Every structure is written in C-alpha cells, then in structure tokens.
Amino acid sequence: QVQLVESGGGLVQAGGSLRLSCLASGLDLSRRTMGWLRQAPGKEREFVAGVSYNGNSRYYSDPVKGRFTMSRDTAKNTVYLQMNNLKPEDTAVYYCAADRIVYRSRAQAPRDFGTWGQGTQVTVSS
C-alpha cells in the first residue's frame, strides 16, 4: 500500500515562489524514482521534474529548467519541488508520482508512474 500526500500549492503572483511537498507512505524513496507532473485545464498531463531512486540524477522539462528544483529527504520519506520565478504558464494541478517499478533510473512519461498523489493546485496570476 502506497500513498502520496501533497501540500504547498496556492495562489501566487508572477515572479513569486512556492514549495511543494510530497510525503510518501508505504514506499521507500531509495528504491523508487520520483517525479512531479502537472496538468493545466484542457491540456495533457506533462512531466515537470524527476529524481532517480539513488539520488544521482535530477532532470527537468525545458519550460522549468533554471527555475524549479526537485529534492528529496529519504529520512523523512518526502520529496519537494521548489518553484521560483513562477509564470502564468505554470498554472496547473501539480501531482507527485512514484515509479511503477523499483530501481529504474529514469521515469518521465505519465505511464511510467504507478502511484499518484491527489494533486495540488498552483495558480500564478499576472
């Protein structure tokens, strides 16, 4: 049984920052690559950021490179997404997700993930 609980979403003005958190239960972050994905109204869910199961790799989609940083705290079984210099285009529901299988170095497509959080709304006003 795996459960991901997200927090930290909200309303922010363009140029502002938010920090999202995802607490994982029944899952070992040292065994699963983790990701953040987002979905805007009327659009497909898209990958945002990922951290490999061993922590060796962090990777980001082009629209957020240089602005977002993903991190993890294995002791707390928690992953984070620090979002800086937010833009209206970042407005979406943000989901935390865990890889479907263990010990895979990279997970990016939505189909790669087997457990999802409930999603948290991020709204960036101009």
Side-chain angles (χ1 to χ4, degrees), residues 32-33 98-102 104 107 110-115:
R32 308 260 184 183
T33 289
D99 198 338
R100 295 177 61 249
I101 63 176
V102 298
R104 181 160 60 178
R111 62 174 174 81
D112 292 336
F113 300 94
T115 302

Side-chain angles (χ1 to χ4, degrees), residues 13-107:
Q13 288 186 295
S17 299
L18 284 173
R19 188 195 192 204
L20 307 183
S21 299
C22 173
L23 176 63
S25 301
L27 179 150
D28 188 349
L29 296 185
S30 297
R31 292 161 52 90
R32 308 260 184 183
T33 289
M34 302 293 294
W36 287 96
L37 300 91
R38 67 187 183 185
Q39 187 168 20
K43 296 185 177 181
E44 296 182 355
R45 190 168 299 183
E46 66 173 355
F47 171 82
V48 175
V51 175
S52 63
Y53 71 94
N54 57 14
N56 289 342
S57 299
R58 301 178 186 181
Y59 45 99
Y60 305 88
S61 63
D62 288 339
V64 308
K65 285 182 179 177
R67 300 188 297 119
F68 291 9
T69 302
M70 187 174 179
S71 61
R72 68 174 190 171
D73 186 335
T74 56
K76 296 181 178 180
N77 239 34
T78 301
V79 297
Y80 306 92
L81 184 66
Q82 178 66 46
M83 305 183 293
N84 297 328
N85 192 25
L86 283 161
K87 304 177 180 180
E89 307 94 272
D90 297 319
T91 295
V93 177
Y94 283 71
Y95 298 91
C96 176
D99 198 338
R100 295 177 61 249
I101 63 176
V102 298
Y103 303 129
R104 181 160 60 178
S105 296
R106 191 180 185 97

